[in-house]
Amino acid sequence: MQTYSVTTLTVSLDAIEKNFRIARSYCAPEVRQIAVVKDDAYGHNAVAVSKRLLGTGAWGLAVACADEGIELREAGIAAPILVLGGAMNERIAGAEVAYDLAQAVGDAESLQLMANAARRAGKRALGHMKIDTGMSRIGARTDAEIDALLDKWRRCPGVEMQGLFSHLANADGDPEFTARQRARFIAACDRAAKAGFQPIRHLSASTGIALGSDYHFDAVRQGIVLYGAAVNGLFPGIAPAQTLTTRPVRFEWIEAGEPVGYGCTWRAKRRTRLMTLPVGYGDGYPRALGGKADVLIGGKRAPLVGRVCMDQMMADVTDIPEEELGGDAVLLGARGDERITPDELAALAGTIPYEIMLGFGNRFVREVK
């Protein structure tokens, strides 16, 4: 459906490709790069991002659920696709086999569903054995569980063990725990090898990549690093790929002492010029940013004042020169020497950059360049 709006969310594929190349440079050439494009590539357009990165050297892709993988297949993407999530049934398993999607398998029930689907379809199924090394989320956890799953896998020849993987829970915060996770992962890989399997081994997502080659194994999963948030300190040179701009709908002077917004939580301390923007928490801009975040006008910062409304917000532009007020307002992205990042907004809102990037709704014009 055509969107009519003065607000535009622009995604830079060039920035994403640059981020990919920076993260890849931390790895040996033989280490396969898996681009994580779940949740519409963290709000950046999964099809466009996938095609760009596969053309840049990514080996495969990772998504959260079968629907996301099917969307990529129907867009003409033939590369390996891993479904990271659980919660399977016969219908989902059948779709994954039909579309050659590899499923994360951490229990006997999931493996049996894939085996049944492969038998019905008369073709092989693909799986990545999931090991729970400390995330306590999904996957085989104990040695007994791992051995039991390997034993069942030997009895399911219709399911190829394409990969074996785990997730690091605190790679940038607890080196000792992370090292224990690595040791548990290596032990699971050894058990799989003794059982006759030779899967692609992958443990590290974005933060783990920066830990060095001991954590890279056969493949790594580039996730948040692709989109330029949360790991800036570990990967110098990466940059956010989203820019959110809008057009002011009103400028108005108010007098000292006058309130602004719901609850009258902010009052002008001087004669103040207000700018109203047609974006609010109904669009995914966090309500918690009212009175905390800035917007960029002509490359200068203007503070938000009062509460963010469902569909609008107000900023103090008293100190912005008149000649700079007619252009776009930047809510996320760069203008001149100033930049508002997902990390900045997340810190102010008390959340994580993932929520900022993923939170924007469908009322914006969306452009991928």
Side-chain angles (χ1 to χ4, degrees):
M1 183 181 71
Q2 179 68 46
T3 299
Y4 299 93
S5 174
V6 297
T7 306
T8 301
L9 181 65
T10 304
V11 170
S12 169
L13 293 178
D14 287 345
I16 292 172
E17 179 179 332
K18 179 182 177 183
N19 296 340
F20 172 84
R21 292 182 183 276
I22 289 172
R24 184 176 61 180
S25 72
Y26 283 63
C27 303
E30 64 271 17
V31 175
R32 307 183 198 200
Q33 304 294 315
I34 301 171
V36 182
V37 294
K38 63 182 180 178
D39 295 285
D40 199 29
Y42 295 42
H44 291 72
N45 190 306
V47 171
V49 170
S50 297
K51 289 182 175 180
R52 172 62 76 92
L53 294 181
L54 289 170
T56 307
W59 171 78
L61 307 167
V63 296
C65 61
D67 287 341
E68 293 178 345
I70 291 169
E71 178 188 13
L72 298 178
R73 288 283 187 247
E74 291 183 341
I77 292 172
I81 299 175
L82 167 62
V83 178
L84 295 166
M88 294 176 62
N89 58 31
E90 288 186 2
R91 182 170 175 269
I92 293 172
E96 290 177 341
V97 172
Y99 283 90
D100 294 318
L101 306 177
Q103 171 64 46
V105 176
D107 56 76
E109 180 181 0
S110 297
L111 181 57
Q112 189 63 58
L113 286 170
M114 295 299 289
N116 294 344
R119 185 173 58 253
R120 289 193 301 269
K123 60 184 293 190
R124 69 173 184 174
L126 298 171
H128 285 227
M129 184 172 173
K130 180 63 188 289
I131 308 299
D132 179 5
T133 58
M135 180 75 82
S136 300
R137 188 166 58 179
I138 61 172
R141 183 177 183 88
T142 65
D143 289 346
E145 290 173 350
I146 292 170
D147 288 340
L149 185 54
L150 288 169
D151 181 65
K152 183 169 182 62
W153 214 308
R154 283 196 298 264
R155 292 181 280 111
C156 294
V159 184
E160 176 187 340
M161 188 188 292
Q162 185 183 61
L164 186 152
F165 76 113
S166 187
H167 275 81
L168 297 174
N170 195 13
D172 58 348
D174 191 333
E176 292 184 5
F177 183 75
T178 301
R180 289 198 298 271
Q181 282 196 270
R182 177 180 177 273
R184 292 177 67 179
F185 181 69
I186 290 174
C189 291
D190 290 343
R191 294 179 112 84
K194 290 178 182 178
F197 296 99
Q198 294 182 315
I200 298 165
R201 302 163 302 159
H202 50 107
L203 173 64
S204 289
S206 296
T207 306
I209 293 171
L211 296 179
S213 59
D214 285 349
Y215 286 84
H216 294 169
F217 296 93
D218 302 314
V220 295
R221 303 181 300 272
Q222 290 199 32
I224 192 66
V225 67
L226 292 173
Y227 311 106
V231 285
N232 286 292
L234 297 175
F235 296 94
I238 67 170
Q242 287 180 333
T243 299
L244 181 62
T245 61
T246 192
R247 300 284 296 183
V249 297
R250 182 181 187 243
F251 291 100
E252 184 67 25
W253 288 95
I254 64 172
E255 300 303 320
E258 289 194 64
V260 174
Y262 287 115
C264 300
T265 58
W266 188 89
R267 292 179 181 271
K269 296 181 180 180
R270 59 176 178 172
R271 190 167 187 263
T272 299
R273 193 172 196 184
L274 292 180
M275 174 183 66
T276 301
L277 300 173
V279 176
Y281 63 80
D283 301 294
Y285 190 91
R287 184 174 182 268
L289 292 176
K292 298 177 182 178
D294 297 328
V295 299
L296 301 181
I297 303 292
K300 296 180 174 62
R301 287 179 174 259
L304 295 182
V305 295
R307 290 177 177 168
V308 173
C309 309
M310 183 180 292
D311 310 300
Q312 294 174 330
M313 63 179 72
M314 288 71 75
D316 179 352
V317 295
T318 310
D319 297 325
I320 306 294
E322 179 71 30
E323 64 270 16
E324 297 182 2
L325 292 177
D328 288 341
V330 178
L331 285 73
L332 179 67
R335 184 70 85 239
D337 295 331
E338 288 283 356
R339 177 184 286 274
I340 295 173
T341 67
D343 301 74
E344 175 185 336
L345 297 183
L348 293 171
T351 184
I352 56 177
Y354 300 70
E355 284 195 345
I356 300 297
M357 294 186 295
L358 284 161
F360 300 121
N362 297 319
R363 295 196 294 190
F364 302 155
V365 175
R366 290 177 177 261
E367 297 180 347
V368 180
K369 297 182 177 180

